[in-house]
Amino acid sequence: MTLLLLLDDPAQPGVVELQSLTDDGLPEGSVSVAADDLASAVREREADRPRWVWDDTSRRYPPLLAAGVRVERCHDLRLCHAILRRSVYSQSSTLAGAPPGPWDGPREPPPVEGSLFDDVGPSVVADPLAELREQLAAVAGADEPGRLRLLLAAESTGALIAAEMQRDGMPWSVETHDALLVSLLGERPRSGRPPKLEALADEVRAALGQPSLNLDSQPDLLRGLRAAGCDVESTRTWEIKALEHPVRDPLLAYKKLSRLLSANGWAWMEAWVHDGRFRPDYVPGGVVTGRWATSGGGALQLPASIRAAVRADPGWKLVVADAAQLEPRVLAAMSGDTAMAAAGRKADLYQGVVDAGIVETRSEAKYAMLGAIYGATTGPSAVLMPRLTRAYPHAVALVEAGARAGERGDVVSTWLGRTSPRPDAAWQAEHAAASAEGAGADDVRAARRRGRDWGRFTRNFIVQGTAAEWALCWMASLRRRLLELDGRPHLVFFLHDEVMVHAPAEVADEVAVAMRSSAVEAGRLLFGATPVEFALNVAVVDSYDQAK
């Protein structure tokens, strides 16, 4: 496969250089292209199916998309650097041992719409070719080069998908959104609160006997609650739910609608929905486990109350799929726990646990399984853990080992090699002080508590991070399959274990098949011939709310 390095020519502003490279990063030739001609040059070279190498997909790809050019594959130097810098598989490499440099900083902001590299400024470092060679050497000398290669390819493809989804946008009906807001909040006011929200505010003030209370000030609301005899430490929802006071129900309703107004109300719609599309800015690898984040728009937190506004275009459908109990299935595959894999051969893994006689109800199975992954030490999860340990010893042993590593301050890794950060200097200093001779009992207890907290993080890191890797492979496989279908069905949404494709109605069923085939392929790419089945719930609908 040809590697094509794309970089700015520092000697000629407005000129981009395309360097052909061997698989080990040796130059084979180069050509200079004016920025205005770059899209045409990339389109022409794409026929050879190269892997494009560039500093940052979020900077380089949007201008190409704006010019109507899409690429099949790339290598994102910034994202790959972050993985290789920390991975235990490449820890002996020169790249991992180097002092912090410009590649370790945050991503650059996306370029101005319609610009073609003339507005993006200088490359992130003077020599991307040197960085590529360092990365290739780190992978070649890694303990698990095959796993790292898959992770880097999946991460880079995820960056392409993120840019494409931002460009295409999620189909959004402003009319439906407005109707939903009016039904929930009342007519949009010229100023102040919508009428239904204001009525709830009056109910809260009346229940507290404080007609001038400012409900939108957390300190004022907390003082008002305490003055009315409510024993609360904060205004968090869970504390309000525990109250036995007339203020509870109207305050909970107010908080819910106030959140809707601020997060997804009329102002949000005007800022983020244009030309019938919602276009958030996704941040691949934005969470330390490899999960995505967003830098605006809140795409990962769309409330159920407005999902009906996500509507397919006339003649199109939304094909929505979510991976059923993804993290427990990933845990079964990682640990090689055949008993848990057998439970996962049912569409509902939790029901499979019940049918195996381990617990009595599905809710108990869910509590126990999530407690094992997230490290619950109290409540129903903790009570059920001994039964889960006896039934699935290999799976529980894997997460327990991850927890113990975190408690010691060690790192843990996902299946493909994304590695957790170490605790900060304060944590390590406290841990060392508690281990020293003459340490006080309070210091020891505090250090143990912080150790357990970090252990819960590392316990979950292993599973959540590997689930994120599976999801990236799933999307990459699905993206490839979608290109083979008529009418250009395309990904428009991704949330951890859920994807949405906007598809012409006539190929919607084919898209559903592609989703299931891609899930099988993702499991095989990561785990080989695993007995674990990665089940999907797939729905072909006209609006997002119909999929749930």
Side-chain angles (χ1 to χ4, degrees):
M1 179 188 300
T2 302
L3 295 176
L4 269 176
L5 176 64
L6 189 154
L7 68 162
D8 302 313
D9 187 338
Q12 302 181 74
V15 174
V16 179
E17 186 176 355
L18 303 182
Q19 290 188 2
S20 297
L21 308 173
T22 64
D23 289 343
D24 53 1
L26 296 177
E28 290 188 319
S30 66
V31 60
S32 295
V33 179
D36 291 342
D37 299 326
L38 181 61
S40 296
V42 171
R43 182 184 288 110
E44 180 180 347
R45 294 295 188 95
E46 187 63 17
D48 298 328
R49 304 186 66 218
R51 185 179 299 279
W52 296 92
V53 180
W54 48 44
D55 51 3
D56 190 329
T57 302
S58 68
R59 297 177 65 233
R60 298 299 191 182
Y61 197 29
L64 294 174
L65 290 171
V69 177
R70 297 184 181 236
V71 305
E72 183 178 350
R73 51 174 65 88
C74 80
H75 181 93
D76 186 307
L77 291 169
R78 181 186 61 85
L79 288 174
C80 294
H81 177 92
I83 291 171
L84 294 170
R85 183 83 158 142
R86 186 177 288 162
S87 177
V88 294
Y89 293 156
S90 56
Q91 61 183 342
S92 62
S93 67
T94 301
L95 184 150
W103 290 99
D104 295 296
R107 74 170 185 169
E108 296 290 329
V112 177
E113 176 68 20
S115 65
L116 272 176
F117 295 87
D118 50 337
D119 292 330
V120 300
S123 183
V124 70
V125 294
D127 193 356
L129 179 56
E131 172 63 23
L132 174 63
R133 288 173 176 166
E134 291 279 7
Q135 293 189 14
L136 294 175
V139 173
D143 295 334
E144 293 281 354
R147 293 189 183 188
L148 272 182
R149 288 191 185 97
L150 178 56
L151 177 55
L152 300 184
E155 187 89 337
S156 296
T157 303
L160 293 176
I161 292 171
E164 290 165 358
M165 289 198 299
Q166 200 276 338
R167 178 69 191 178
D168 289 327
M170 183 187 299
W172 198 280
S173 169
V174 171
E175 293 77 15
T176 302
H177 190 173
D178 179 70
L180 290 169
L181 293 176
V182 169
S183 69
L184 293 167
L185 300 168
E187 294 292 336
R188 183 179 187 179
R190 292 180 180 273
S191 62
R193 298 184 181 92
K196 292 186 179 181
L197 196 59
E198 186 61 41
L200 284 170
D202 289 340
E203 284 189 54
V204 172
R205 295 188 187 106
L208 295 176
Q210 300 173 56
S212 61
L213 181 64
N214 180 7
L215 272 65
D216 298 324
S217 167
Q218 299 303 314
D220 288 355
L221 178 58
L222 182 59
R223 282 192 293 269
L225 288 167
R226 289 174 173 172
C230 299
D231 184 15
V232 291
E233 295 296 324
S234 72
T235 61
R236 294 187 177 92
T237 297
W238 67 270
E239 285 208 65
I240 305 303
K241 284 182 176 179
L243 292 176
E244 294 185 5
H245 190 280
V247 77
R248 181 187 60 192
D249 292 344
L251 181 53
L252 288 173
Y254 179 88
K255 286 170 67 70
K256 182 177 181 179
L257 291 184
S258 179
R259 169 65 182 169
L260 172 64
L261 178 63
S262 63
N264 299 103
W266 289 283
W268 176 90
M269 183 168 58
E270 290 174 351
W272 287 100
V273 180
H274 303 286
D275 303 320
R277 293 292 186 270
F278 168 42
R279 295 182 172 89
D281 182 17
Y282 292 98
V283 184
V287 179
V288 68
T289 58
R291 278 187 166 187
W292 285 18
T294 60
S295 63
L300 306 184
Q301 296 175 324
L302 291 179
S305 56
I306 65 164
R307 287 178 180 172
V310 184
R311 303 191 69 83
D313 291 344
W316 289 59
K317 294 286 186 179
L318 300 177
V319 188
V320 183
D322 68 89
Q325 300 101 30
L326 176 58
E327 291 187 357
R329 293 175 194 274
V330 162
L331 174 57
M334 293 177 71
S335 63
D337 198 309
T338 55
M340 186 180 287
R345 280 194 279 274
K346 292 183 176 288
D348 185 343
L349 181 145
Y350 298 139
Q351 187 60 45
V353 176
V354 175
D355 294 344
I358 296 159
V359 295
E360 295 181 0
T361 67
R362 185 184 183 281
S363 62
E364 287 182 338
K366 183 175 182 179
Y367 277 127
M369 196 67 70
L370 296 182
I373 293 172
Y374 289 96
T377 56
T378 60
S381 298
V383 172
L384 295 167
M385 271 300 294
R387 285 190 244 173
L388 201 71
T389 302
R390 288 192 296 272
Y392 306 129
H394 299 295
V396 173
L398 188 147
V399 290
E400 287 293 334
R404 301 292 86 77
E407 291 171 9
R408 296 190 301 268
D410 294 340
V411 299
V412 296
S413 289
T414 62
W415 187 254
L416 296 183
R418 193 187 303 269
T419 299
S420 67
R422 293 189 181 277
D424 61 23
W427 187 100
Q428 297 190 44
E430 185 177 75
H431 190 76
S435 303
E437 185 177 353
D442 290 343
D443 293 335
V444 172
R445 281 193 293 270
R448 286 177 178 172
R449 183 177 62 253
R450 292 191 67 179
R452 287 192 297 269
D453 289 344
W454 196 258
R456 280 191 289 272
F457 161 70
T458 51
R459 169 196 294 266
N460 179 238
F461 183 97
I462 298 169
V463 182
Q464 187 182 104
T466 303
E469 293 167 353
W470 180 92
L472 282 174
C473 291
W474 179 35
M475 279 203 299
S477 175
L478 177 59
R479 175 179 182 258
R480 188 188 73 245
R481 294 169 192 270
L482 292 178
L483 292 173
E484 299 171 357
L485 300 179
D486 295 333
R488 208 181 79 79
H490 50 278
L491 283 154
V492 294
F493 181 61
F494 169 55
L495 174 61
H496 306 325
D497 58 2
E498 180 178 346
V499 298
M500 180 190 299
V501 171
H502 194 211
E506 58 269 20
V507 299
D509 290 340
E510 294 179 72
V511 170
V513 172
M515 286 176 163
R516 297 186 189 280
S517 299
S518 298
V520 173
E521 182 177 359
R524 186 172 63 251
L525 281 171
L526 262 72
F527 305 115
T530 177
V532 176
E533 296 178 6
F534 291 92
L536 299 183
N537 300 311
V538 183
V540 179
V541 296
D542 294 310
S543 60
Y544 188 20
D545 61 311
Q546 297 171 354
K548 296 294 183 178

